[in-house]
């Protein structure tokens, strides 16, 4: 039988259709070759051309996985577009993989190591991010509806039968808060149900198919390869048990946070006595126990290791039981009568003088505003701790810890005084200490960067790391700012909906921190405009430099050629600005955002609102800015969801914004279990099973392939690399890797150095080195491709001319296209390299190839 080679093409984020992947062209009459499904299904399928014959020396097959992240125009697109609202969780989850110093074997990671402490801090931050969402929804249900909105005029704005809250029984004490508590609990049930269903998405597949040994034939013993890259971990793509346990922890912690809001309000308004005290304090103990167990469990192996399908365990049952007891005690505490009316517990300031311009009476539930402000402040300090430890090791943790300790000590000093210290000045307030405390924490981010103190990751693995080693903090920080913006927008929109301005006594107001978030939103947008202006200036300068280079290399260029040089210089400038300046620009925006966050935290702790009671001059401008920012924040979730929907339906939007989404959802949910599901947990095992299955067929099977060219484009190169590192050595010796539009060096290698850094990429090179010395990896790149660069990890880098010429030739009348990031298989260099590689794969014993590596 003739030796056959399969070229298996894997597309990138743009969800290239199978016919384009296979290079099929439309023919007159429409009766030409068509793609047909040979394995898989309509969601993730392997396609070949109907014109492909069984004796073709090279068979082209396309793996289409794009339906996992972008699909047809169906109702399911809307469901998946709603996942974009969980983008903050996805970014926080990605931060776990941006750490440096991650050992290749997860069992070798210790809690006290740099990567171990950072992982625990990131998981703790993810837990607090769940609390941010719950705090916002609890603010709507408990604070706005159950506490402030008890008048008929306010309740008329609510959908559903909530008129019963105006009855005398529900208006007594804090009973209406029990109804408001149902809203965050229902949200947690909904998110938990959706997340639980998506865990089936990560079904582990057999990745090493082989004939079963007979009773007389013992199973061959294969010595396992030592782990040199975390992507080689066999449990990396199968963590269903870890996800379930982490989800229980997050959902229970979220329920505890929701219950803590009304319990705190009850204790502040009137310390419980008698029967209410017998219910309140055990409830507080149960809620506190859940939080304590969660903080400790985040660093335990049963939650940090991916071990496939494993039971929940006794700790999960304990947390669930304590949460149930805490919720039961909370509801009972809220329903017990205390003889007072709900209206008597509030202080409606605006009743005294409703004609005051800009009157913003703070009628929030006692303690809620403080919870929101302190949670945001300590999340900011936690982000600084993550960045400091990742950059400089455990010693850098001292600065953010000092900042976190100074704040509560300053609060006690200003309120009650501290032994051995003079009384606080009369005008000093706790919020004034926020900026100095955050400044102390920031010093940890400015310490010199040090390499990981571990021999398991060579020092050069940190070379060129993004943002000076602060990557996890910056990535998680952007997710946090988006989550805070979502929460502020929700509270602002709901308070505006419920506000009955005709009656000042019925006025509904959001927390003061929400108003400051509106100011911060406008300032952040102005900073973004400045960043884009700087990027535009750099782009113009780079384009001028590239144009000068192109025109200097050739003489006697026509006006047509000069215009074409201008077009080519545009793409080359994009290539350079993405590869040389993008990460630096994002870092500068992150630095400006950190300053803004510090002042917002101080403003939130102050308890005041922007402007004044009678705004004038610049105070009027601040007040107007807060209103504009609140309006923008209210629309933000809808805008993000709309972009997500367009990303699924529009290729143009998909190519521009889909990169961030596909990078975020490539990584498994190991830090935040409620993030959108990882498509790679299905794509990598499927690709692995397909390749190994074809190579494992017997010699007489007509489907057998003697060699495989694994051909990945853009994000497909990352999927292929993960697949190759999971395959057994005997299959890799019959595989050649083609990468084009590759993002290993300028993006993945800098942001995720523990997986794609220089040292870890050489692991892939060694894995693809044949016994004869061939390095079975060819990388194609173009100077006009913004996302494709050289790799320089020992592989063969092949530059691809783009365009092929500045003017038509050979009878053609159209200019040769500038393909940029697409069309690599149509290039002459690709076809030439594929022919040579196919000859090598057909040989029984591959011989060394000259010029490879």
């Amino acid at each position: 039988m003739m030796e056959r080679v399969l070229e298996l093409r894997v597309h990138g984020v743009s969800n290239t259709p199978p016919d384009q992947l296979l290079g099929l062209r439309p023919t007159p009459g429409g009766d030409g070759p068509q793609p047909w499904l040979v394995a898989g299904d309509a969601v993730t399928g392997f396609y070949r051309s109907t014109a492909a014959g069984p004796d073709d020396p090279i068979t082209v097959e396309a793996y289409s996985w794009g339906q996992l992240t972008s699909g047809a125009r169906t109702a399911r697109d809307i469901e998946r577009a709603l996942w974009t609202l969980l983008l903050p969780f996805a970014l926080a989850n990605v931060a776990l993989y941006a750490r440096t110093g991650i050992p290749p074997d997860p069992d070798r990671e210790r809690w006290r190591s740099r990567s171990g402490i950072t992982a625990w801090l990131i998981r703790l931050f993810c837990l607090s991010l769940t609390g941010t969402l719950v705090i916002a929804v609890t603010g709507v249900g408990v604070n706005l509806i159950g506490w402030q909105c008890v008048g008929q005029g306010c309740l008329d704005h609510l959908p559903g039968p909530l008129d019963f809250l105006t009855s005398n029984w529900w208006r007594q004490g804090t009973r209406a808060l029990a109804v408001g508590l149902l809203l965050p609990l229902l949200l947690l049930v909904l998110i938990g149900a959706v997340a639980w269903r998506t865990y089936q998405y990560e079904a582990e597949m057999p990745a090493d198919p082989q004939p079963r040994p007979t009773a007389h034939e013992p199973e061959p013993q294969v010595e396992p390869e030592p782990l040199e890259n975390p992507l080689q971990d066999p449990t990396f793509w199968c963590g269903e048990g870890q996800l379930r346990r982490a989800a229980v922890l997050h959902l229970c912690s979220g329920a505890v946070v929701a219950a803590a809001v009304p319990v705190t309000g009850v204790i502040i308004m009137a310390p419980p006595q008698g029967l209410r005290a017998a219910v309140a304090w055990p409830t507080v103990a149960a809620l506190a126990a859940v939080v304590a167990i969660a903080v400790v469990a985040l660093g335990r192996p049963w939650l940090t290791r991916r071990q496939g399908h494993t039971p929940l365990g006794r700790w999960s049952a304990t947390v669930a039981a304590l949460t149930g007891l805490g919720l039961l005690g909370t509801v009972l505490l809220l329903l017990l009568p205390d003889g007072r009316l709900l209206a008597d517990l509030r202080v409606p300031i605006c009743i005294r003088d409703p004609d005051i311009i800009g009157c913003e009476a703070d009628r929030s539930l006692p303690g809620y505003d403080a919870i929101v402000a302190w949670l945001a402040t300590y999340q900011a300090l936690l982000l600084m701790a993550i960045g400091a430890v990742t950059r400089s090791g455990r010693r850098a943790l001292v600065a953010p810890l000092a900042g976190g300790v100074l704040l509560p000590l300053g609060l006690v000093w200003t309120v009650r005084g501290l032994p051995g210290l003079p009384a606080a000045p009369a005008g000093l307030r706790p919020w004034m200490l926020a900026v100095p405390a955050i400044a102390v924490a920031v010093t940890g981010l400015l310490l010199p960067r040090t390499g990981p103190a571990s021999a398991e990751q060579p020092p050069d693995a940190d070379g060129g790391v993004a943002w000076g080693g602060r990557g996890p903090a910056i990535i998680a920080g952007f997710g946090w700012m988006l989550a805070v913006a979502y929460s502020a927008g929700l509270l602002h929109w709901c308070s505006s909906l419920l506000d009955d301005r005709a009656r000042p006594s019925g006025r509904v107001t959001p927390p003061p921190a929400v108003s400051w978030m509106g100011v911060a939103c406008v300032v952040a947008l102005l900073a973004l405009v400045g960043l884009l202006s700087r990027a535009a200036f750099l782009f113009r300068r780079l384009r001028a430099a590239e144009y000068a280079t192109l025109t200097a290399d050739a003489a006697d260029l026509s006006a047509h050629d000069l215009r074409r040089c201008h077009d080519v210089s545009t793409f080359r400038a994009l290539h350079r600005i993405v590869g040389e300046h993008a990460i630096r620009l994002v870092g500068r925006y992150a630095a400006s955002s950190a300053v803004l966050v510090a002042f917002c935290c101080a403003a939130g702790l102050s308890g005041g609102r922007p402007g004044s009671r009678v705004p004038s001059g610049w105070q009027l401008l601040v007040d107007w800015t807060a209103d504009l920012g609140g309006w923008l924040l209210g629309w933000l979730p809808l805008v993000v969801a709309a972009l997500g929907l367009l990303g699924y339906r529009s290729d143009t939007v998909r190519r521009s914004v889909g990169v961030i989404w596909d990078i975020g959802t490539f990584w498994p949910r190991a830090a935040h279990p409620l993030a959108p599901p990882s498509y790679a947990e299905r794509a990598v095992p499927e690709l692995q099973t397909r390749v190994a299955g074809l190579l494992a067929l017997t010699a007489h099977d007509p489907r057998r392939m003697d060699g495989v060219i694994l051909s990945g484009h853009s994000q497909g190169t990352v999927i292929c690399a993960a697949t190759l590192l999971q395959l057994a050595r005997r299959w890799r010796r019959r595989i050649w890797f083609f990468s084009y539009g590759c993002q290993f060096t300028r993006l993945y290698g800098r942001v995720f150095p523990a997986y794609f850094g220089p040292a870890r990429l050489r692991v892939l090179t060694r894995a693809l080195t044949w016994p004869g010395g061939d390095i079975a990896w060819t990388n194609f790149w173009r100077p006009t491709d913004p996302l494709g660069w050289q790799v320089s990890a020992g592989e063969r880098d092949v530059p691809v001319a783009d365009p092929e010429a500045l003017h038509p030739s050979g009878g053609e009348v159209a200019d040769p296209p500038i393909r940029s990031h697409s069309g690599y298989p149509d290039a002459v260099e690709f076809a030439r390299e594929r022919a040579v590689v196919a000859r090598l794969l057909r040989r029984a014993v591959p011989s060394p190839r000259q010029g490879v590596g």
Side-chain angles (χ1 to χ4, degrees):
M1 178 177 293
M2 183 177 181
E3 294 175 335
R4 301 172 62 200
V5 172
L6 176 71
E7 183 193 352
L8 183 52
R9 296 178 179 176
V10 184
H11 65 76
V13 300
S14 58
N15 189 22
T16 307
D19 56 340
Q20 296 183 21
L21 280 174
L22 296 172
L24 303 181
R25 301 288 187 270
T27 58
D31 55 353
Q34 299 294 323
W36 64 288
L37 186 68
V38 295
D41 53 31
V43 178
T44 55
F46 295 83
Y47 295 84
R48 294 184 186 177
S49 170
T50 53
D55 296 329
D56 291 347
I58 301 180
T59 301
V60 179
E61 184 172 295
Y63 176 51
S64 178
W65 56 270
Q67 295 289 337
L68 296 174
T69 57
S70 61
R73 300 188 177 186
T74 63
R76 183 168 174 78
D77 286 351
I78 299 178
E79 176 188 346
R80 288 183 294 192
L82 294 177
W83 280 111
T84 57
L85 296 178
L86 298 180
L87 181 58
F89 294 168
L91 292 174
N93 184 74
V94 170
L96 184 72
Y97 299 94
R99 295 172 293 151
T100 58
I102 303 176
D105 187 349
D107 293 329
R108 302 287 298 275
E109 187 173 59
R110 298 294 178 261
W111 186 89
R112 298 179 180 179
S113 65
R114 171 187 300 193
S115 62
I117 293 178
T118 307
W120 178 74
L121 292 174
I122 291 174
R123 288 189 169 95
L124 183 60
F125 172 78
C126 289
L127 194 66
S128 73
L129 207 59
T130 302
T132 299
L133 174 64
V134 173
I135 283 289
V137 180
T138 305
V140 175
V142 174
N143 181 33
L144 298 183
I145 297 177
W147 180 253
Q148 300 187 44
C149 185
V150 293
Q152 186 63 47
C154 179
L155 292 175
D156 288 341
H157 294 102
L158 294 174
L162 292 176
D163 292 342
F164 65 90
L165 292 177
T166 60
S167 65
N168 290 332
W169 192 88
W170 285 104
R171 288 172 62 86
Q172 289 183 0
T174 54
R175 290 172 178 173
L177 303 185
V179 179
L181 186 60
L182 293 177
L183 185 61
L185 296 181
L186 289 175
L187 176 69
L188 289 172
V189 170
L190 176 62
I191 294 179
V194 173
W196 207 269
R197 185 169 63 90
T198 61
Y199 294 156
Q200 303 304 321
Y201 189 82
E202 291 91 349
E204 182 182 1
M205 299 185 61
D208 192 16
Q210 56 182 340
R212 290 183 175 273
T214 62
H216 304 287
E217 180 184 357
E219 186 173 353
Q221 299 293 328
V222 179
E223 182 180 355
E225 296 183 80
L227 298 182
E228 299 180 280
N229 189 311
L231 290 174
Q232 293 176 301
D233 177 21
T235 66
F236 192 87
W237 301 107
C238 48
E240 183 180 356
Q242 180 199 43
L243 284 173
R244 292 179 185 272
R245 293 190 294 269
V248 169
L249 201 65
H250 275 250
L251 294 174
C252 290
S253 299
V256 165
V257 169
V261 172
V263 170
T264 302
V266 168
I267 294 176
I268 291 176
M269 286 186 293
Q273 298 178 357
L275 179 60
R276 293 172 64 85
V279 175
W281 301 120
T283 299
V284 171
L287 299 179
V290 173
V291 175
I293 292 175
V295 171
V296 175
L298 292 176
R300 304 302 301 166
W302 68 272
L303 194 63
T304 60
R305 297 292 184 267
R306 301 179 64 79
Q307 300 172 354
H309 181 73
T310 52
L312 292 177
R314 62 181 184 275
W315 284 109
S316 298
T318 302
V319 169
L322 288 173
T323 303
L325 292 175
L327 290 177
L328 180 62
T330 300
V331 174
L332 184 59
L333 177 65
L334 296 178
L335 295 182
L336 284 175
D338 65 352
R340 294 179 295 174
L341 291 178
L342 184 61
D344 298 335
L345 300 176
R346 297 197 228 97
V347 184
I349 301 175
C350 283
I351 283 183
R352 301 174 183 175
D353 192 356
D355 296 328
I356 294 179
I357 300 175
C359 175
E360 293 288 345
D362 188 2
R363 303 170 67 243
S364 295
L365 180 69
Y368 179 73
D369 294 353
I371 291 176
V372 172
W374 284 96
L375 175 63
T377 301
Y378 271 90
Q379 283 179 321
L381 293 173
L382 188 56
L383 287 171
M384 295 174 192
I386 292 171
V389 175
T390 308
R391 175 177 170 82
S392 306
R394 291 179 295 179
R395 62 172 183 168
L397 193 60
V398 175
L401 279 178
V405 172
L406 286 176
L407 274 178
L409 288 179
L411 175 63
V412 176
W413 182 44
T414 55
V415 176
R416 296 184 178 179
L418 289 175
L421 292 179
L428 186 65
R429 296 291 183 270
W431 65 269
M432 299 179 181
L433 303 174
V435 172
I438 293 177
V440 171
V442 168
T443 58
L445 297 173
L446 304 179
L447 294 175
R449 184 166 63 92
T450 60
S454 172
E456 295 172 334
Q457 184 172 351
D460 64 341
D462 280 345
V465 66
W467 305 303
R470 308 179 188 93
I474 291 179
I475 295 173
F478 283 128
W480 173 65
M481 289 192 296
L482 190 58
V484 171
Y486 281 174
S487 302
L490 176 65
L491 289 169
H492 185 275
W493 183 81
C494 290
S495 61
S496 299
L497 175 66
L498 300 175
D499 192 10
D500 185 6
R501 294 185 180 272
R503 297 177 55 196
S505 61
R507 194 175 185 90
V508 177
T509 58
V514 172
S515 301
W516 288 110
M517 270 302 304
V519 177
C521 174
V522 175
V523 176
L525 289 177
L526 292 176
L528 182 60
V529 171
L531 177 74
L532 295 177
S533 301
R534 172 63 178 169
F537 172 77
L538 288 174
F539 172 74
R540 291 172 60 88
R541 190 178 68 180
L542 292 173
R543 184 174 62 182
E546 292 295 332
Y547 180 78
T549 302
L550 288 172
T551 54
D553 292 341
D556 300 329
L557 293 176
S558 64
H560 176 274
D561 292 341
L562 290 176
R563 180 184 60 82
R564 290 281 287 166
C565 286
H566 184 273
D567 295 340
V568 174
S569 66
T570 299
F571 286 94
R572 290 196 173 190
L574 284 174
H575 173 83
R576 290 187 59 187
I577 197 171
V578 173
E580 300 174 7
H581 300 279
I583 289 182
R584 184 182 301 111
L585 291 174
V586 172
R588 291 179 178 177
Y589 187 71
S592 62
S593 300
V595 176
L596 184 62
V597 164
F599 284 101
C600 283
C601 289
L605 291 175
S606 70
R609 297 182 183 276
S612 66
R613 292 189 179 274
V614 187
S616 61
W618 66 271
Q619 294 176 342
L620 183 62
L621 176 62
V622 173
D623 190 67
W624 178 84
T625 303
D627 291 339
L628 174 62
W631 181 83
L632 293 174
L633 290 173
W635 283 98
L636 180 63
L638 296 179
V639 171
V640 174
L643 284 176
L645 182 60
L646 289 175
Y648 289 121
R649 296 194 170 198
S650 170
D651 289 340
T652 302
V653 178
R654 179 73 185 155
R655 291 187 181 97
S656 58
V657 303
V659 176
I660 298 176
W661 182 252
D662 280 357
I663 291 175
T665 55
F666 168 79
W667 299 101
R669 294 176 286 187
H672 204 303
L674 305 180
S678 166
Y679 61 86
E681 296 220 357
R682 178 169 175 176
V684 171
E686 279 190 350
L687 191 59
Q688 185 181 358
T689 302
R690 179 65 176 171
V691 171
L694 292 175
L695 294 176
L697 295 173
T698 61
H700 302 287
D701 195 307
R703 298 170 298 169
R704 171 186 168 85
M705 292 293 169
D706 295 279
V708 172
I709 300 176
L710 195 55
S711 178
H713 172 240
S714 189
Q715 187 68 15
T717 63
V718 183
I719 297 176
C720 291
T723 301
L724 290 167
L725 289 172
Q726 290 278 325
L727 281 170
R729 183 188 296 113
R730 62 181 180 278
W731 307 131
R732 292 199 306 264
R733 290 177 179 176
R734 295 163 60 186
I735 297 175
W736 199 286
F737 180 30
F738 277 5
S739 59
Y740 39 97
C742 183
Q743 308 158 16
F744 285 164
T745 52
R746 300 300 176 93
L747 179 59
Y748 275 88
R750 299 184 65 187
V751 180
F752 309 106
Y755 299 88
F756 297 98
R760 295 293 165 84
L761 273 181
R762 295 191 189 100
V763 175
L764 179 60
T765 304
R766 289 193 294 270
L768 292 171
T769 301
W770 288 353
D774 266 337
I775 299 177
W777 181 5
T778 304
N779 178 65
F780 303 89
W781 68 282
R782 293 188 180 118
T784 57
D785 185 352
L787 299 178
W789 300 279
Q790 297 169 278
V791 176
S792 303
E795 85 300 336
R796 173 178 166 83
D797 276 314
V798 176
V800 178
D802 187 44
E804 298 175 358
L806 294 177
H807 45 265
S809 61
E812 180 59 69
V813 295
D815 289 326
I818 303 175
R819 300 186 182 275
S820 185
H821 191 55
S822 62
Y824 277 92
D826 297 330
V828 176
E829 295 87 348
F830 188 95
R832 185 186 303 119
E833 184 74 8
R834 190 181 72 160
V836 175
V837 168
R839 288 197 298 270
L840 288 173
L841 288 172
R842 292 192 192 103
R843 299 179 182 177
V845 180
S847 60
R849 180 183 172 198
Q850 300 296 328
V852 176

